[in-house]
Coordinates of all heavy atoms in Angstrom, one line a residue:
M2 N 70.7 19.9 28.3 CA 71.5 20.6 27.4 C 71.7 22.0 27.9 O 70.7 22.6 28.3 CB 71.0 20.6 26.0 CG 71.9 21.2 25.0 SD 71.4 21.1 23.3 CE 70.2 22.3 23.2
R3 N 72.9 22.5 27.9 CA 73.2 23.8 28.4 C 73.6 24.7 27.2 O 73.9 24.2 26.1 CB 74.3 23.8 29.4 CG 73.9 22.9 30.5 CD 74.6 23.4 31.8 NE 74.2 22.6 32.9 CZ 73.9 23.0 34.1 NH1 73.9 24.3 34.3 NH2 73.5 22.2 35.0
R4 N 73.6 26.0 27.4 CA 74.0 26.9 26.4 C 75.4 26.6 25.9 O 76.3 26.4 26.7 CB 73.9 28.3 27.0 CG 74.2 29.4 25.9 CD 74.1 30.7 26.6 NE 75.2 30.9 27.5 CZ 75.9 32.0 27.7 NH1 75.6 33.0 27.0 NH2 76.9 32.0 28.5
G5 N 75.6 26.5 24.7 CA 76.9 26.2 24.1 C 77.1 24.7 23.8 O 78.0 24.3 23.1
D6 N 76.2 23.8 24.4 CA 76.3 22.4 24.1 C 75.8 22.1 22.7 O 75.0 22.9 22.2 CB 75.6 21.6 25.1 CG 76.2 21.5 26.5 OD1 77.4 22.0 26.6 OD2 75.6 21.0 27.4
L7 N 76.2 21.1 22.1 CA 75.8 20.7 20.8 C 74.3 20.3 20.8 O 73.8 19.6 21.7 CB 76.6 19.5 20.2 CG 78.0 19.7 19.9 CD1 78.7 18.4 19.6 CD2 78.2 20.7 18.8
T8 N 73.5 20.7 19.8 CA 72.2 20.3 19.7 C 72.1 18.9 19.0 O 73.1 18.4 18.5 CB 71.4 21.3 18.8 OG1 71.9 21.3 17.5 CG2 71.4 22.7 19.4
S9 N 71.0 18.3 19.0 CA 70.8 17.0 18.4 C 71.2 17.0 16.9 O 71.8 16.1 16.4 CB 69.4 16.5 18.5 OG 69.1 16.3 19.9
S10 N 70.7 18.1 16.2 CA 71.0 18.2 14.8 C 72.5 18.4 14.5 O 73.1 17.9 13.6 CB 70.2 19.3 14.1 OG 70.5 20.5 14.7
Q11 N 73.2 19.2 15.4 CA 74.6 19.4 15.2 C 75.4 18.1 15.5 O 76.3 17.8 14.8 CB 75.1 20.5 16.2 CG 74.6 21.9 15.9 CD 75.0 22.9 17.0 OE1 74.9 22.5 18.1 NE2 75.3 24.1 16.6
W12 N 75.0 17.4 16.5 CA 75.6 16.1 16.8 C 75.4 15.1 15.7 O 76.3 14.4 15.3 CB 75.1 15.5 18.1 CG 75.7 14.2 18.4 CD1 75.1 13.0 18.4 CD2 77.1 14.0 18.7 NE1 76.0 12.0 18.7 CE2 77.3 12.6 18.9 CE3 78.2 14.8 18.9 CZ2 78.5 12.0 19.3 CZ3 79.4 14.2 19.2 CH2 79.6 12.8 19.4
A13 N 74.2 15.1 15.1 CA 73.9 14.2 13.9 C 74.9 14.5 12.8 O 75.3 13.5 12.0 CB 72.5 14.3 13.5
R14 N 75.3 15.7 12.6 CA 76.2 16.1 11.5 C 77.6 15.7 11.9 O 78.4 15.4 11.0 CB 76.1 17.5 11.1 CG 74.7 17.9 10.5 CD 74.6 19.3 10.1 NE 75.6 19.6 9.1 CZ 75.9 20.8 8.7 NH1 75.3 21.9 9.3 NH2 76.8 21.0 7.7
L15 N 78.0 15.9 13.1 CA 79.4 15.7 13.6 C 79.7 14.2 13.8 O 80.8 13.7 13.4 CB 79.6 16.4 14.9 CG 81.0 16.2 15.5 CD1 82.1 16.8 14.6 CD2 81.0 16.9 16.9
E16 N 78.8 13.4 14.3 CA 79.1 12.0 14.7 C 79.7 11.2 13.6 O 80.6 10.4 13.8 CB 77.8 11.4 15.3 CG 78.1 10.0 15.9 CD 76.9 9.4 16.5 OE1 75.7 9.8 16.2 OE2 77.1 8.6 17.4
P17 N 79.1 11.2 12.4 CA 79.7 10.4 11.3 C 81.1 10.7 10.9 O 81.8 9.9 10.4 CB 78.8 10.6 10.1 CG 77.6 11.3 10.6 CD 77.9 11.9 11.9
L18 N 81.6 11.9 11.3 CA 83.0 12.3 11.0 C 84.0 11.9 12.0 O 85.2 11.9 11.7 CB 83.0 13.9 10.9 CG 82.0 14.5 9.9 CD1 82.1 16.0 10.0 CD2 82.3 14.1 8.5
L19 N 83.5 11.4 13.2 CA 84.5 10.9 14.2 C 84.9 9.5 14.0 O 84.1 8.7 13.5 CB 83.8 11.0 15.6 CG 83.3 12.4 16.0 CD1 82.5 12.3 17.3 CD2 84.5 13.3 16.2
P20 N 86.1 9.2 14.3 CA 86.6 7.8 14.2 C 85.8 6.9 15.1 O 85.3 7.3 16.2 CB 88.1 7.8 14.6 CG 88.2 9.1 15.4 CD 87.1 10.0 14.9
L21 N 85.7 5.6 14.8 CA 84.9 4.7 15.6 C 85.5 4.4 16.9 O 84.9 4.6 18.0 CB 84.7 3.3 14.9 CG 83.8 3.4 13.6 CD1 83.7 2.0 13.0 CD2 82.4 3.9 14.0
G22 N 86.8 4.1 17.0 CA 87.5 3.9 18.2 C 86.9 2.9 19.2 O 87.0 3.1 20.4
R23 N 86.3 1.8 18.7 CA 85.7 0.8 19.6 C 86.8 -0.1 20.1 O 87.7 -0.6 19.4 CB 84.7 0.0 18.8 CG 83.6 0.8 18.4 CD 82.6 0.0 17.6 NE 81.7 0.9 16.9 CZ 80.4 0.8 17.0 NH1 79.8 -0.2 17.6 NH2 79.6 1.6 16.4
K24 N 86.8 -0.2 21.4 CA 87.8 -1.1 22.1 C 87.1 -2.2 22.9 O 86.0 -1.9 23.4 CB 88.6 -0.2 23.1 CG 89.5 0.8 22.4 CD 90.3 1.6 23.4 CE 91.1 2.7 22.8 NZ 91.8 3.4 23.8
P25 N 87.7 -3.3 23.0 CA 87.0 -4.4 23.8 C 87.1 -4.0 25.3 O 87.9 -3.2 25.7 CB 87.9 -5.6 23.5 CG 89.2 -5.1 23.1 CD 88.9 -3.7 22.4
G26 N 86.2 -4.6 26.0 CA 86.2 -4.3 27.5 C 85.0 -3.6 27.9 O 83.9 -3.6 27.3
R27 N 85.2 -2.9 29.0 CA 84.1 -2.1 29.7 C 83.5 -1.1 28.8 O 84.2 -0.3 28.1 CB 84.6 -1.5 30.9 CG 83.7 -1.4 32.0 CD 84.3 -0.9 33.3 NE 85.8 -0.7 33.3 CZ 86.4 0.0 34.2 NH1 85.7 0.6 35.2 NH2 87.7 0.1 34.2
P28 N 82.2 -0.9 28.8 CA 81.6 0.2 28.0 C 82.0 1.6 28.6 O 82.2 1.7 29.8 CB 80.1 0.0 28.1 CG 79.9 -0.9 29.3 CD 81.2 -1.7 29.5
P29 N 82.0 2.6 27.8 CA 82.4 3.9 28.3 C 81.4 4.5 29.3 O 80.2 4.2 29.2 CB 82.5 4.8 27.1 CG 81.8 4.1 26.0 CD 81.8 2.6 26.4
V30 N 81.8 5.2 30.3 CA 81.0 5.8 31.3 C 80.3 7.1 30.7 O 79.1 7.3 31.0 CB 81.8 6.2 32.5 CG1 80.9 6.9 33.6 CG2 82.4 5.0 33.1
W31 N 81.0 7.9 29.9 CA 80.5 9.1 29.3 C 80.4 8.9 27.9 O 81.2 8.3 27.2 CB 81.4 10.3 29.6 CG 81.5 10.6 31.1 CD1 80.6 11.2 31.8 CD2 82.5 10.1 32.0 NE1 81.0 11.3 33.1 CE2 82.2 10.6 33.3 CE3 83.7 9.4 31.9 CZ2 82.9 10.4 34.4 CZ3 84.4 9.2 33.0 CH2 84.1 9.7 34.2
T32 N 79.4 9.5 27.3 CA 79.2 9.4 25.8 C 80.2 10.3 25.1 O 80.7 11.3 25.7 CB 77.7 9.9 25.5 OG1 77.6 11.3 25.8 CG2 76.7 9.1 26.2
R33 N 80.4 10.0 23.9 CA 81.3 10.9 23.1 C 80.7 12.3 23.0 O 81.5 13.3 23.0 CB 81.4 10.3 21.7 CG 82.1 8.9 21.8 CD 82.1 8.2 20.5 NE 83.3 8.6 19.8 CZ 83.5 8.4 18.5 NH1 82.6 7.7 17.8 NH2 84.6 8.7 17.9
W34 N 79.4 12.4 23.0 CA 78.7 13.7 22.9 C 79.1 14.5 24.1 O 79.5 15.7 24.0 CB 77.2 13.4 22.8 CG 76.4 14.6 22.5 CD1 76.7 15.9 22.5 CD2 75.0 14.6 22.0 NE1 75.6 16.7 22.2 CE2 74.6 15.9 21.8 CE3 74.1 13.5 21.8 CZ2 73.3 16.2 21.4 CZ3 72.9 13.8 21.3 CH2 72.5 15.1 21.1
Q35 N 79.1 13.9 25.3 CA 79.4 14.6 26.5 C 80.9 15.1 26.5 O 81.2 16.2 26.9 CB 79.2 13.8 27.8 CG 77.8 13.5 28.1 CD 77.7 12.5 29.2 OE1 78.1 11.4 29.1 NE2 77.2 12.9 30.4
L36 N 81.8 14.2 26.0 CA 83.2 14.5 26.0 C 83.5 15.7 25.0 O 84.3 16.6 25.3 CB 84.0 13.3 25.7 CG 84.0 12.2 26.7 CD1 84.7 10.9 26.2 CD2 84.5 12.7 28.0
I37 N 82.8 15.6 23.8 CA 83.0 16.7 22.9 C 82.5 18.0 23.4 O 83.2 19.0 23.3 CB 82.3 16.3 21.5 CG1 82.8 15.1 20.9 CG2 82.3 17.5 20.6 CD1 84.1 15.3 20.2
D38 N 81.3 18.0 24.1 CA 80.8 19.2 24.7 C 81.8 19.7 25.8 O 82.0 21.0 25.9 CB 79.5 19.0 25.4 CG 78.3 19.0 24.4 OD1 78.5 19.6 23.3 OD2 77.2 18.5 24.7
G39 N 82.4 18.8 26.5 CA 83.4 19.3 27.5 C 84.6 19.9 26.9 O 85.2 20.9 27.4
M40 N 85.1 19.3 25.8 CA 86.3 19.9 25.1 C 85.9 21.3 24.5 O 86.7 22.2 24.6 CB 86.7 19.0 23.9 CG 87.3 17.7 24.4 SD 87.7 16.7 22.9 CE 87.4 15.0 23.6
R41 N 84.7 21.4 24.0 CA 84.3 22.7 23.4 C 84.2 23.7 24.5 O 84.5 24.9 24.4 CB 83.0 22.5 22.7 CG 83.1 21.7 21.4 CD 81.8 21.5 20.7 NE 81.4 22.8 20.1 CZ 80.3 23.4 20.5 NH1 79.5 22.9 21.4 NH2 80.0 24.6 19.9
W42 N 83.6 23.3 25.7 CA 83.5 24.2 26.8 C 84.8 24.7 27.3 O 85.1 25.9 27.5 CB 82.7 23.6 28.0 CG 82.6 24.5 29.1 CD1 81.6 25.4 29.3 CD2 83.5 24.6 30.2 NE1 81.8 26.1 30.5 CE2 83.0 25.6 31.1 CE3 84.7 24.0 30.6 CZ2 83.6 26.0 32.3 CZ3 85.3 24.4 31.8 CH2 84.8 25.4 32.6
R43 N 85.7 23.8 27.4 CA 87.1 24.1 27.9 C 87.8 25.0 27.0 O 88.4 26.0 27.4 CB 87.9 22.8 28.1 CG 89.1 23.0 28.9 CD 90.3 23.1 28.0 NE 91.5 23.4 28.7 CZ 92.5 24.0 28.1 NH1 92.4 24.3 26.8 NH2 93.6 24.2 28.7
T44 N 87.8 24.7 25.7 CA 88.5 25.6 24.8 C 87.8 27.0 24.6 O 88.5 28.0 24.4 CB 88.7 25.0 23.4 OG1 87.5 24.2 23.1 CG2 89.9 24.1 23.3
G45 N 86.5 27.0 24.7 CA 85.8 28.3 24.6 C 86.0 29.2 25.8 O 86.1 30.4 25.7
S46 N 86.1 28.5 27.0 CA 86.2 29.3 28.2 C 87.7 29.7 28.5 O 87.9 30.6 29.3 CB 85.6 28.6 29.3 OG 86.3 27.5 29.7
G47 N 88.6 28.8 28.1 CA 90.0 29.0 28.4 C 90.3 28.5 29.8 O 91.4 28.8 30.3
A48 N 89.4 27.8 30.4 CA 89.6 27.3 31.8 C 90.6 26.2 31.8 O 90.7 25.5 30.8 CB 88.3 26.9 32.4
P49 N 91.2 25.9 32.9 CA 92.1 24.8 33.0 C 91.3 23.5 33.0 O 90.1 23.5 33.4 CB 92.9 24.9 34.4 CG 92.1 26.0 35.1 CD 91.3 26.7 34.1
W50 N 91.9 22.4 32.7 CA 91.2 21.1 32.6 C 90.5 20.7 33.9 O 89.5 20.1 33.9 CB 92.2 20.0 32.2 CG 92.5 20.0 30.7 CD1 93.6 20.3 30.1 CD2 91.6 19.6 29.7 NE1 93.5 20.2 28.8 CE2 92.3 19.8 28.5 CE3 90.3 19.2 29.7 CZ2 91.7 19.5 27.2 CZ3 89.7 18.9 28.4 CH2 90.4 19.1 27.2
R51 N 91.1 21.0 35.0 CA 90.6 20.6 36.3 C 89.2 21.3 36.6 O 88.5 20.9 37.4 CB 91.6 20.9 37.4 CG 91.8 22.4 37.7 CD 92.8 22.6 38.8 NE 93.2 24.0 38.9 CZ 94.1 24.6 38.2 NH1 94.9 23.9 37.4 NH2 94.4 25.9 38.4
D52 N 88.9 22.4 35.9 CA 87.7 23.1 36.1 C 86.5 22.7 35.1 O 85.4 23.2 35.2 CB 87.9 24.6 35.9 CG 88.7 25.2 37.0 OD1 88.9 24.6 38.0 OD2 89.3 26.3 36.8
V53 N 86.8 21.7 34.3 CA 85.7 21.2 33.4 C 84.7 20.5 34.3 O 85.0 19.7 35.2 CB 86.3 20.2 32.4 CG1 85.2 19.5 31.6 CG2 87.3 20.9 31.4
H54 N 83.4 20.8 34.1 CA 82.3 20.3 34.9 C 82.1 18.8 34.7 O 82.4 18.2 33.7 CB 81.0 21.0 34.6 CG 80.0 20.8 35.6 ND1 79.1 19.8 35.6 CD2 79.7 21.6 36.7 CE1 78.3 19.8 36.6 NE2 78.6 20.9 37.3
E55 N 81.7 18.1 35.8 CA 81.5 16.7 35.8 C 80.6 16.2 34.7 O 80.7 15.1 34.3 CB 80.9 16.3 37.2 CG 81.9 15.8 38.2 CD 81.2 15.4 39.4 OE1 80.1 14.8 39.4 OE2 81.8 15.6 40.5
R56 N 79.6 17.0 34.3 CA 78.6 16.5 33.3 C 79.3 16.2 32.0 O 78.7 15.6 31.1 CB 77.5 17.5 33.2 CG 77.9 18.8 32.5 CD 76.7 19.7 32.3 NE 77.1 21.0 31.9 CZ 77.4 22.0 32.6 NH1 77.3 21.9 33.9 NH2 77.7 23.2 32.2
Y57 N 80.5 16.7 31.8 CA 81.2 16.4 30.6 C 82.2 15.3 30.7 O 83.0 15.0 29.8 CB 82.0 17.7 30.1 CG 81.1 18.9 29.9 CD1 81.4 20.1 30.4 CD2 80.0 18.8 29.0 CE1 80.6 21.2 30.2 CE2 79.2 19.8 28.7 CZ 79.5 21.1 29.3 OH 78.7 22.1 29.1
G58 N 82.2 14.6 31.8 CA 83.1 13.5 32.1 C 84.3 14.0 32.9 O 84.4 15.2 33.2
R59 N 85.1 13.1 33.4 CA 86.3 13.5 34.2 C 87.2 14.3 33.3 O 87.4 14.0 32.2 CB 87.0 12.2 34.7 CG 86.3 11.5 35.8 CD 87.2 10.4 36.4 NE 88.3 10.0 35.7 CZ 88.6 8.8 35.4 NH1 87.9 7.8 35.8 NH2 89.7 8.5 34.7
P60 N 87.8 15.3 33.9 CA 88.8 16.1 33.1 C 89.9 15.3 32.5 O 90.3 15.6 31.4 CB 89.3 17.1 34.2 CG 88.3 17.2 35.2 CD 87.6 15.8 35.3
T61 N 90.4 14.3 33.2 CA 91.5 13.5 32.6 C 91.0 12.8 31.4 O 91.7 12.6 30.4 CB 92.1 12.5 33.6 OG1 91.0 11.8 34.2 CG2 92.8 13.2 34.7
T62 N 89.8 12.3 31.4 CA 89.2 11.6 30.2 C 89.1 12.5 29.0 O 89.5 12.2 27.9 CB 87.8 11.0 30.5 OG1 88.0 10.1 31.7 CG2 87.3 10.2 29.4
S63 N 88.5 13.7 29.2 CA 88.4 14.6 28.1 C 89.7 15.1 27.6 O 89.9 15.2 26.4 CB 87.6 15.9 28.6 OG 86.3 15.5 29.0
R64 N 90.7 15.3 28.5 CA 92.0 15.8 28.1 C 92.7 14.7 27.3 O 93.3 15.0 26.2 CB 92.8 16.2 29.3 CG 94.2 16.7 28.9 CD 95.0 17.1 30.1 NE 95.3 16.0 31.0 CZ 95.1 16.0 32.3 NH1 94.5 17.0 32.9 NH2 95.4 14.9 33.0
V65 N 92.6 13.5 27.7 CA 93.2 12.4 26.9 C 92.6 12.2 25.6 O 93.3 12.1 24.6 CB 93.2 11.1 27.7 CG1 93.5 9.9 26.9 CG2 94.1 11.1 29.0
R66 N 91.3 12.3 25.5 CA 90.6 12.2 24.2 C 91.0 13.3 23.3 O 91.2 13.1 22.1 CB 89.1 12.2 24.4 CG 88.5 11.0 25.1 CD 88.3 9.9 24.0 NE 87.9 8.7 24.7 CZ 86.7 8.2 24.7 NH1 85.7 8.9 24.2 NH2 86.4 7.1 25.3
Q67 N 91.1 14.5 23.8 CA 91.4 15.6 22.9 C 92.8 15.5 22.4 O 93.1 15.7 21.3 CB 91.2 17.0 23.6 CG 91.4 18.1 22.6 CD 91.0 19.5 23.2 OE1 91.0 19.6 24.4 NE2 90.7 20.4 22.4
S68 N 93.7 15.2 23.3 CA 95.1 15.1 22.9 C 95.4 14.0 21.9 O 96.1 14.1 21.0 CB 96.1 15.0 24.1 OG 95.8 13.8 24.8
S69 N 94.7 12.9 22.1 CA 94.9 11.7 21.2 C 94.2 12.0 19.8 O 94.7 11.5 18.8 CB 94.3 10.4 21.8 OG 92.9 10.5 21.9
N70 N 93.2 12.8 19.7 CA 92.5 13.1 18.5 C 93.2 14.3 17.7 O 92.9 14.5 16.6 CB 91.0 13.5 18.7 CG 90.2 12.2 19.1 OD1 90.6 11.1 18.7 ND2 89.2 12.4 19.8
S71 N 94.0 15.0 18.4 CA 94.6 16.2 17.8 C 95.9 15.9 17.0 O 96.5 16.7 16.4 CB 94.9 17.3 18.8 OG 95.9 16.8 19.7
T72 N 96.4 14.6 17.1 CA 97.6 14.3 16.4 C 97.3 13.7 15.1 O 96.3 13.2 14.8 CB 98.4 13.3 17.2 OG1 97.7 12.1 17.5 CG2 99.0 14.0 18.5

């Protein structure tokens, strides 16, 4: 965990509020926790999507997740 990432207690409060979004097929490569941390890092820093660090998942994955959840 890095500075600014969600703690276990913060994630425990947030996780029940997220939609399930289970799809058939291959299991996800990155956890929802990692993707949320990546979205938070990107919006907090103001960096472009291509600069999101790998530990948060591929930038395209995080960007798609954020745009689909914001509508």
Side-chain angles (χ1 to χ4, degrees):
M2 183 172 80
R3 302 211 179 220
R4 187 179 67 140
D6 288 352
L7 292 172
T8 64
S9 298
S10 61
Q11 289 171 323
W12 179 249
R14 292 182 66 193
L15 177 64
E16 187 177 25
L18 304 174
L19 299 173
L21 292 178
R23 297 178 193 230
K24 295 180 182 178
R27 215 175 350 166
V30 176
W31 296 281
T32 65
R33 297 172 88 192
W34 193 341
Q35 288 172 299
L36 296 174
I37 297 284
D38 278 342
M40 290 177 213
R41 293 179 69 244
W42 179 86
R43 192 261 175 207
T44 34
S46 69
W50 281 109
R51 67 181 174 271
D52 291 343
V53 174
H54 195 274
E55 263 181 36
R56 71 177 169 269
Y57 299 130
R59 286 192 342 233
T61 52
T62 304
S63 297
R64 183 177 64 231
V65 168
R66 288 280 173 99
Q67 187 172 24
S68 64
S69 66
N70 289 334
S71 65
T72 56

